[in-house]
Amino acid sequence: GEDVEQSLFLSVREGDSSVINCTYTDSSSTYLYWYKQEPGAGLQLLTYIFSNMDMKQDQRLTVLLNKKDKHLSLRIADTQTGDSAIYFCAERESGGGADGLTFGKGTHLIIQP
Amino acid sequence: DAGVTQSPTHLIKTRGQQVTLRCSPKSGHDTVSWYQQALGQGPQFIFQYYEEEERQRGNFPDRFSGHQFPNYSSELNVNALLLGDSALYLCASSPETLYGYTFGSGTRLTVV
C-alpha cells in the first residue's frame, strides 16, 4: 500500500537553510507535493513536482526528487520565523483525473533565534 | 477571489449523533475532496466528488457519506458519531486538470 514517511521535528537557526525529507513507497506516484500548515489553519500548497522531474526551484524553495530511492526533499533557504509550521509531503497516484492524496504525518519546523 | 470556504468552523456533537459539514470550492474548481486530520497526524483521504458523483473513496466506513451539488459545493455527512471521529475535517478543491489542491481552513469536530 501507499506510505509516506517524514521526520517529526526539525530545528534550525534563523537565516540557515532548512531541509525537510520525505520517502514514499508508491512507484506509480506521478505528482508529489509539499504543503504547509500553521497552527489552527488549513493546508497551504507550497510547491509540487512531477515524477519525471529531478528538481524544481521557486524563490526560496527547492524541491529535489530521487525517483530511484523514492526520496523527496524540500529546502527552504534563509529560514525565517514565519516559516515555523508543520510541513507535509504528499503523493498522488497516477490514475487519470484527480485522485486522493496520501500524506505523511508532517515535519514540525522549529526556528531558533 | 474566495478560496475554499467551509462551515461551520467548530462543532461539538454527542456520540451517536449525525453531523453535516459544508464546503464551497474555489471559483473555477469542479472537483471536491474531503480529508480527516486527527490531532498530530497527516490528513487522510475520505472521498472525492466530481460531476455530483463519488469518484474515489479512501478507507472510511459507510457512516461517512457525501454529496456534491450542481454548483460544485459539497457536504460531508457522518452518522452514528464515535469519539474517534473527533478531528479537523478539511475540504480541498481542484480543477479537473490537476496541478494542486486548494484546501479550506477546515471544520473542527469534537465528539463528546
Side-chain angles (χ1 to χ4, degrees):
Chain A
E2 300 169 0
D3 198 14
V4 177
E5 299 286 341
Q6 299 179 240
S7 299
L8 288 184
F9 294 96
L10 176 65
S11 179
V12 299
R13 289 181 178 271
E14 188 176 359
D16 287 351
S17 291
S18 305
V19 180
I20 303 170
N21 294 300
C22 167
T23 57
Y24 59 98
T25 58
D26 189 353
S27 60
S28 64
S29 295
T30 54
Y31 300 86
L32 294 142
Y33 303 88
W34 284 104
Y35 281 88
K36 175 183 180 183
Q37 186 175 39
E38 296 180 86
L43 301 176
Q44 174 193 354
L45 176 65
L46 290 178
T47 188
Y48 59 89
I49 189 168
F50 300 135
S51 58
N52 61 356
M53 297 168 64
D54 298 324
M55 187 184 85
K56 181 179 181 181
Q57 191 157 0
D58 185 2
Q59 299 182 343
R60 292 193 298 125
L61 305 179
T62 302
V63 178
L64 295 178
L65 175 61
N66 182 328
K67 196 173 180 182
K68 174 177 172 289
D69 294 338
K70 295 179 187 170
H71 181 267
L72 183 73
S73 68
L74 173 70
R75 177 177 178 268
I76 304 172
D78 186 24
T79 308
Q80 302 298 309
T81 54
D83 296 324
S84 180
I86 304 174
Y87 290 80
F88 291 96
C89 169
E91 64 172 356
R92 174 193 165 217
E93 183 182 334
S94 172
D99 299 321
L101 302 181
T102 300
F103 284 85
K105 291 187 177 181
T107 299
H108 293 243
L109 179 59
I110 300 162
I111 315 300
Q112 300 173 19
Chain B
D1 175 28
V4 178
T5 57
Q6 293 187 244
S7 62
T9 54
H10 296 83
L11 201 52
I12 300 175
K13 288 286 189 178
T14 305
R15 271 183 305 174
Q17 284 188 316
Q18 179 264 345
V19 69
T20 298
L21 310 182
R22 295 175 176 83
C23 171
S24 292
K26 183 176 179 178
S27 177
H29 289 187
D30 57 7
T31 301
V32 173
S33 303
W34 287 91
Y35 290 80
Q36 180 195 66
Q37 186 179 18
L39 200 60
Q41 302 294 315
Q44 285 200 294
F45 175 69
I46 304 174
F47 44 53
Q48 184 178 86
Y49 277 84
Y50 173 68
E51 292 188 342
E52 302 179 49
E53 290 193 359
E54 183 183 293
R55 182 160 66 173
Q56 188 188 16
R57 188 177 185 94
N59 189 24
F60 278 81
D62 292 344
R63 296 187 298 110
F64 289 77
S65 64
H67 188 77
Q68 186 179 34
F69 299 93
N71 66 353
Y72 308 124
S73 66
S74 177
E75 289 181 348
L76 164 65
N77 301 294
V78 187
N79 294 324
L81 284 166
L82 304 173
L83 295 179
D85 295 331
S86 295
L88 179 67
Y89 287 85
L90 294 163
C91 173
S93 71
S94 59
E96 170 58 4
T97 52
L98 171 69
Y99 287 98
Y101 296 82
T102 301
F103 281 80
S105 297
T107 294
R108 173 74 62 188
L109 173 64
T110 303
V111 182
V112 298

